[in-house]
């Protein structure tokens, strides 16, 4: 059986986490888990998800999967950070949100800097401020003038946007002004992405359960509104998942009309075999954890004290990184996500070897 840390011969996604910390401070309604998947490259970094999970096992499963994804994302982005994730179950009934996130902050502090948290689905700047009252190992706080910080979503959107340009040129030999993009989900990232795409001249088809938000996108970006259930069939060149993970499964991929998948949602493939189905259907898949790294790069800049210009430069590296990956996938006649997984695995394994040798 593989030992924690021993990622040398294992795919990152299946490597055991280094440490799993149960969160339980029931006085404050805190119940969940922090997973430190890998600290080979640096402190395990990844946001805190606050979500309704029917049971504890489901929350743990999600945290394990998301933390492994962060190891791969941070490694490929060239960050001096490992991968981790916190998942907290939304308590049944009333609760004091500030007290709950303060209790979470104490748990983060207890890990002595081996885990760095930030926002994720269900958490925001105010929650991270409560965490900050207990620990300095947190980012995603209100930005101070001249420093990185604040909501990471615009940075994520920018990385996805630049990567999409590369994917469209590679697969369709066209500029963004000549394509239609179907955007699934108009939350923090999806809405920002629509703005960038609209400004670049792309046509938009969008879906979003909040009808007022969809209507705003229609008004601002001349976007066509599709039903959430039929966005896969939208007559688009690019499908940009910006809502939930696991949305590309054996059924939805057969409904896709787009020839490119490039979006922000984490863990878009419901299982690895779906990548092969996409390739067999000649759909170019831009691996999510490569293209959506803009937010974590901004978080890293905030935590590690970089200048905004350094954050910008690193987000600017996402598109050339995708280009290199696409070229390599073509040259090796391999799938994009297979190459990306291998690259991330190699980076983490080399760091683990260096650490063992030190
Ligand atoms: P968000 O919660 O702000 O937005 C998600 C949106 O999707 C919401 O508007 C929601 O109403 C909508 N939605 C929910 N179910 C839907 C459905 N079935 N069809 C269409 N829309 C649906 O989240 P976000 O911060 O914009 O992140 C979007 C995705 O990108 C998430 O998967 C997140 O994990 C990932 N991601 C976000 C960042 C970031 O910087 N925020 C970074 C990396 C990855």
């Amino acid at each position: 059986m593989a030992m924690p840390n021993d990622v040398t011969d294992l795919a990152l996604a299946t490597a055991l986490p280094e440490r799993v910390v149960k969160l339980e401070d029931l006085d404050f309604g805190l119940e969940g888990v922090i997973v430190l998947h890998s600290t080979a490259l640096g402190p395990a970094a990844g946001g805190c998800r606050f979500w309704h999970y029917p049971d504890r096992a489901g929350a743990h499963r999600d945290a394990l999967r998301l933390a492994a994804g962060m190891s791969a994302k941070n490694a490929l982005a060239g960050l001096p950070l490992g991968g981790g994730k916190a998942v907290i179950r939304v308590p049944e009934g009333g609760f004091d949100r500030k007290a709950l996130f303060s209790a979470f902050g104490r748990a983060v502090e207890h890990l002595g800097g081996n885990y760095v948290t930030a926002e994720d689905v269900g958490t925001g700047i105010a929650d991270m401020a409560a965490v900050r009252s207990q620990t300095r190992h947190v980012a995603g706080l209100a930005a101070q003038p001249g420093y990185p910080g604040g909501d990471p979503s615009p940075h994520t959107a920018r990385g996805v946007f630049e990567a999409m340009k590369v994917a469209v040129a590679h697969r369709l030999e066209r500029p963004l002004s000549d394509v239609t993009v179907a955007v699934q989900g108009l939350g923090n990232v999806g809405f920002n992405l629509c703005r960038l795409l609209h400004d670049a001249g792309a046509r938009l088809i969008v879906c979003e359960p909040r009808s007022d938000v969809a209507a705003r996108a229609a008004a601002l970006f001349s976007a066509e509104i599709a039903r959430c259930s039929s966005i896969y069939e939208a007559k688009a060149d690019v499908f940009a998942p910006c809502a939930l993970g696991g949305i590309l499964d054996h059924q939805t991929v057969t409904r896709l009309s787009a020839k490119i998948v490039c979006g922000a949602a984490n863990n878009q493939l419901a299982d690895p075999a779906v990548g092969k189905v996409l390739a067999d259907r000649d759909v170019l898949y831009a691996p999510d954890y490569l293209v959506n790294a803009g937010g974590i790069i901004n978080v890293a800049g905030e935590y590690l004290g970089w200048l905004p210009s350094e954050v910008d430069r690193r987000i600017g590296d996402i598109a050339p990184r995708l280009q290199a990956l696409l070229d390599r996938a073509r040259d090796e006649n391999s799938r994009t996500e297979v190459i990306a997984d291998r690259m991330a695995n190699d980076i983490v394994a080399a760091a683990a070897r260096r650490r063992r040798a030190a």
Side-chain angles (χ1 to χ4, degrees):
M1 180 162 148
M3 296 297 292
N5 283 338
D6 183 8
V7 293
T8 314
D9 302 316
L10 286 169
L12 268 181
T14 51
L16 294 177
E18 288 181 17
R19 195 166 169 194
V20 177
V21 180
K22 193 167 148 191
L23 295 170
E24 199 160 39
D25 198 338
L26 297 181
D27 288 347
F28 301 102
L30 177 66
E31 194 202 330
V33 65
I34 299 176
V35 176
L36 285 75
H37 180 261
S38 166
T39 58
L41 284 160
C48 171
R49 184 161 291 196
F50 189 53
W51 198 246
H52 295 274
Y53 290 92
D55 53 38
R56 189 183 290 232
H60 284 215
R61 262 197 310 277
D62 213 22
L64 288 167
R65 186 179 61 86
L66 291 164
M70 288 310 300
S71 289
K73 186 189 301 197
N74 294 344
L76 263 197
L79 296 174
L81 295 171
K85 203 82 181 182
V87 163
I88 301 175
R89 293 176 73 192
V90 177
E92 305 280 335
F95 63 95
D96 179 339
R97 191 165 177 126
K98 197 168 169 192
L100 187 154
F101 280 98
S102 296
F104 171 59
R106 286 191 286 281
V108 173
E109 174 62 15
H110 194 67
L111 292 170
N114 285 311
Y115 170 63
V116 181
T117 197
E119 289 107 336
D120 192 65
V121 176
T123 53
I125 288 181
D127 302 321
M128 293 309 119
V131 174
R132 181 68 181 92
S133 70
Q134 307 296 322
T135 183
R136 66 185 175 82
H137 304 298
V138 53
L141 300 157
Q144 304 300 319
Y147 294 94
D151 177 9
S153 311
H155 304 279
T156 305
R158 193 189 129 213
V160 172
F161 170 73
E162 300 289 348
M164 197 183 289
K165 264 193 227 168
V166 162
V168 167
H170 185 92
R171 174 69 180 79
L172 303 172
E173 298 182 354
R174 282 194 258 153
L176 277 182
S177 56
D178 201 14
V179 297
T180 301
V181 183
V183 180
Q184 182 183 45
L186 298 176
N188 294 320
V189 181
F191 207 89
N192 278 302
L193 179 63
C194 283
R195 179 174 289 114
L196 294 169
L197 288 168
H198 176 68
D199 290 350
R203 286 176 301 283
L204 292 168
I205 303 175
V206 299
C207 75
E208 161 63 47
R210 295 174 300 158
S211 53
D212 55 327
V213 177
R216 204 147 65 86
L220 286 174
F221 313 131
S222 311
E224 181 188 324
I225 301 175
R227 283 210 309 275
C228 287
S229 56
S230 58
I231 190 73
Y232 302 98
E233 289 96 350
K235 291 273 167 282
D237 304 291
V238 184
F239 177 63
C242 294
L244 313 168
I247 41 90
L248 292 173
D249 57 28
H250 290 274
Q251 200 257 326
T252 52
V253 287
T254 62
R255 295 163 55 199
L256 266 190
S257 124
K259 284 294 169 205
I260 295 167
V261 174
C262 179
N266 284 314
N267 299 21
Q268 290 163 22
L269 305 185
D271 72 68
V274 174
K276 177 161 180 354
V277 183
L278 281 173
D280 289 347
R281 298 174 69 85
D282 208 13
V283 177
L284 185 159
Y285 172 57
D288 47 35
Y289 65 79
L290 191 157
V291 304
N292 72 10
I296 191 70
I297 291 171
N298 191 57
V299 160
E302 178 184 346
Y303 184 69
L304 298 169
W306 296 340
L307 290 171
S309 55
E310 176 68 7
V311 169
D312 271 358
R313 185 188 66 74
R314 288 174 179 257
I315 294 174
D317 287 343
I318 291 174
R321 191 172 294 127
L322 178 67
Q323 182 68 64
L325 175 79
L326 297 179
D327 292 343
R328 188 170 156 189
R330 186 193 50 214
D331 295 347
E332 297 181 17
N333 196 22
S334 185
R335 304 205 308 272
T336 50
E337 80 282 7
V338 172
I339 302 275
D341 286 354
R342 201 180 297 151
M343 285 163 65
N345 196 45
D346 288 351
I347 294 166
V348 176
R353 275 197 299 276
R354 281 197 301 276
R355 188 165 70 171
R356 277 199 295 272

